[in-house]
């Protein structure tokens, strides 16, 4: 069964860090573009970060640039989102998604392309 499962969310104080994981089962991520999205209460979903299949290209939304880092493990089954210097406005449900394609990462962030698989999300709450 093909699926993506996120983990690592939780409650953290402003300025703190969390690392989200997205683990693929039923397939490996060799040829897939990986994207992290988030959706805050009452807001539209937004693209946060993207990693190309070769890991040669990573892209970040302006709101997280310099604070978040996307990476993938060598066995091509798990993608991470390291989140540092967290702010209350980072509070959201974070979703990982993947597409069997390789266009510009910035375009995935902007939602130009549909994604093939989605996880169910993990909640990140940044609050004191």
């Amino acid at each position: 069964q093909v699926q993506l499962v996120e983990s690592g969310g939780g409650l953290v104080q402003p300025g703190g860090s969390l690392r989200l994981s997205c683990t693929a089962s039923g397939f490996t991520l060799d040829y897939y573009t990986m994207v992290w999205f988030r959706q805050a209460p009452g807001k539209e979903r937004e693209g946060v970060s993207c990693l190309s299949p070769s890991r040669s290209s990573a892209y970040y939304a302006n709101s997280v640039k310099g604070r978040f880092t996307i990476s993938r493990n060598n066995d091509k089954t798990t993608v991470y989102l390291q989140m540092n210097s967290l702010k209350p406005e980072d509070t959201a449900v974070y979703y990982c998604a993947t597409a069997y394609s390789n266009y510009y990462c910035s375009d995935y962030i902007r939602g130009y392309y549909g994604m093939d698989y989605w996880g169910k999300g993990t909640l990140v709450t940044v609050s004191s």
Side-chain angles (χ1 to χ4, degrees), residues 104-124:
Y104 290 118
C105 257
S106 56
D107 290 341
Y108 290 99
I109 293 290
R110 295 187 182 107
Y112 289 178
Y113 303 112
M115 307 303 291
D116 294 316
Y117 303 111
W118 288 84
K120 294 184 178 181
T122 185
L123 176 62
V124 172

Side-chain angles (χ1 to χ4, degrees), residues 79-97:
V79 173
Y80 304 98
L81 186 67
Q82 177 67 43
M83 306 187 297
N84 299 327
S85 303
L86 283 162
K87 305 175 181 179
E89 52 264 42
D90 295 318
T91 294
V93 178
Y94 284 71
Y95 301 90
C96 66

Side-chain angles (χ1 to χ4, degrees), residues 54-76:
S54 65
R55 297 184 290 180
S56 62
S57 176
Y59 189 87
Y60 301 91
N62 288 335
S63 57
V64 306
K65 198 172 296 183
R67 301 187 297 121
F68 290 12
T69 303
I70 190 170
S71 62
R72 193 186 73 199
N73 67 346
N74 289 331
D75 66 4
K76 305 169 187 174

Side-chain angles (χ1 to χ4, degrees), residues 5-10 19-23 36 78-79 81 94 96 121-122:
V5 178
E6 302 96 338
S7 61
R19 188 176 80 158
L20 305 184
S21 300
C22 171
T23 300
W36 284 95
T78 303
V79 173
L81 186 67
Y94 284 71
C96 66
T122 185

Side-chain angles (χ1 to χ4, degrees), residues 1 3 6 8 13 32 62 94 97 100-101 105 115:
Q1 182 180 1
Q3 62 178 352
E6 302 96 338
Q13 292 187 342
Y32 288 82
N62 288 335
Y94 284 71
Y100 190 71
S101 54
C105 257
M115 307 303 291

